[in-house]
Amino acid sequence: MTGDGTVGKALHVLDQVAAFGRPVRFAELLAQSDYPKPTLYRFVQTLTNQQMLAYDPDRQTYAPGIRLVRLAHAAWEQSTLAPIARPHIDALSAAVGETVHLAQLDNAQVLYVDKRNAGKPVQMYSQAGKVGPAYCTGVGKVMLAFTDTDSMDRIIAQQSFHKFTGHTLTDAEALREELADIRSNGYGFDREEHEPGIICIAMPILSEGGRVLGALSVTSTTGRTNLAGLEGYVPILKETAEKIARDAQNWSFPDYETKEATGI
């Protein structure tokens, strides 16, 4: 439970509603809540009055509200690489004909911020807006490999190391060995580590100062290609990552503070 006072508690209730992935009844919320019924009801009513939750009187259910959708859209446009990267991942997708992902780190997880499907789409977990594990996805590993040591240690310590497939790395030592290889090569792979039959090659998006802004990947299946085939996309992935980084540097991800902020 959050310790950030009333606002933090209200956000906790919003998280609860969203986690159901469907409209939810008050009784279902109460069954999972740490708050007493009057407190939870007060938060739910306030969030509904503020249009952060929407109430359906016929079904007697709550769902994320339109105001929350507007805020989420604004955050998406202003705080992610998605709007900057859009033309570049469109071009990459057209050139390779495979699924393209754009991702950023969200605390210790991967947040998929955009996606382009292959000409013949393949069913897979990743979708824009979803979060995934950092230790067993291509985009997650390449971002981890290029973070600073303190951040890397913190993020690795938060990984669950759940064994999704027979190829999943299941301990910190094995992950660190792979991250060293990725840092040396400049790119990394997902070798069916998260989903059976799904493979990818991933490239970090780095600022001029080497800070991790995000990652790109080209994803396919073992039925269509192999890791050697995906490795052929390294030049175009690198070029695309550099273009996104350049545009991001000119927008809102500076690697330096302004003279006004520093007083220099």
Side-chain angles (χ1 to χ4, degrees):
M1 187 187 299
T2 181
D4 294 330
T6 302
V7 173
K9 291 175 182 177
L11 291 175
H12 180 71
V13 174
L14 275 178
D15 284 339
Q16 267 192 289
V17 174
F20 275 86
R22 59 171 174 79
V24 59
R25 290 177 176 269
F26 181 82
E28 294 177 285
L29 280 176
L30 184 61
Q32 293 190 6
S33 179
D34 295 318
Y35 305 127
K37 183 176 180 179
T39 302
L40 179 63
Y41 184 76
R42 184 173 69 252
F43 283 132
V44 167
Q45 289 302 110
T46 299
L47 290 166
T48 302
N49 292 340
Q50 293 298 318
Q51 296 183 300
M52 301 296 276
L53 290 179
Y55 178 64
D56 183 332
D58 295 327
R59 295 182 175 84
Q60 296 186 330
T61 56
Y62 295 89
I66 191 67
R67 185 176 181 184
L68 189 61
V69 173
R70 289 198 301 267
L71 289 171
H73 180 73
W76 198 263
E77 287 293 316
Q78 297 174 40
S79 303
T80 75
L81 286 173
I84 302 167
R86 189 172 294 131
H88 302 303
I89 64 171
D90 284 344
L92 176 62
S93 176
V96 302
E98 297 283 4
T99 300
V100 172
H101 291 108
L102 175 70
Q104 291 176 252
L105 280 175
D106 180 18
N107 293 316
Q109 296 179 298
V110 167
L111 172 65
Y112 293 98
V113 296
D114 212 345
K115 178 181 180 179
R116 296 293 179 276
N117 283 316
K120 294 181 179 178
V122 176
Q123 185 67 33
M124 63 184 77
Y125 169 84
S126 56
Q127 298 293 337
K130 277 194 172 184
V131 294
Y135 68 97
C136 61
T137 54
V139 286
K141 289 187 295 181
V142 297
M143 287 190 284
L144 261 179
F146 286 87
T147 58
D148 63 86
T149 302
D150 289 344
S151 297
M152 182 188 295
D153 290 343
R154 174 180 54 80
I155 293 169
I156 290 176
Q158 294 179 69
Q159 300 306 299
S160 66
F161 291 106
H162 173 76
K163 191 175 180 65
F164 289 97
T165 76
H167 301 277
T168 307
L169 299 175
T170 56
D171 61 74
E173 183 179 353
L175 177 60
R176 287 182 185 279
E177 289 178 3
E178 177 145 356
L179 296 181
D181 289 340
I182 290 171
R183 195 171 183 94
S184 175
N185 294 331
Y187 57 89
F189 295 102
D190 176 346
R191 304 175 178 85
E192 298 183 78
E193 295 162 54
H194 191 214
E195 298 178 85
I198 303 296
I199 55 176
C200 89
I201 185 165
M203 181 80 61
I205 301 169
L206 306 174
S207 71
E208 287 182 1
R211 183 162 57 90
V212 175
L213 303 179
L216 278 172
S217 69
V218 173
T219 303
S220 190
T221 68
T222 53
R224 273 213 290 248
T225 187
N226 53 32
L227 297 179
L230 289 178
E231 201 164 17
Y233 295 130
V234 166
I236 192 170
L237 261 176
K238 189 173 189 297
E239 180 185 1
T240 304
E242 289 172 349
K243 287 179 179 178
I244 294 170
R246 179 200 64 211
D247 288 355
Q249 190 77 13
N250 293 333
W251 187 57
S252 65
F253 296 91
D255 237 17
Y256 52 87
E257 294 177 298
T258 63
K259 290 183 178 181
E260 289 81 0
T262 60
I264 297 174

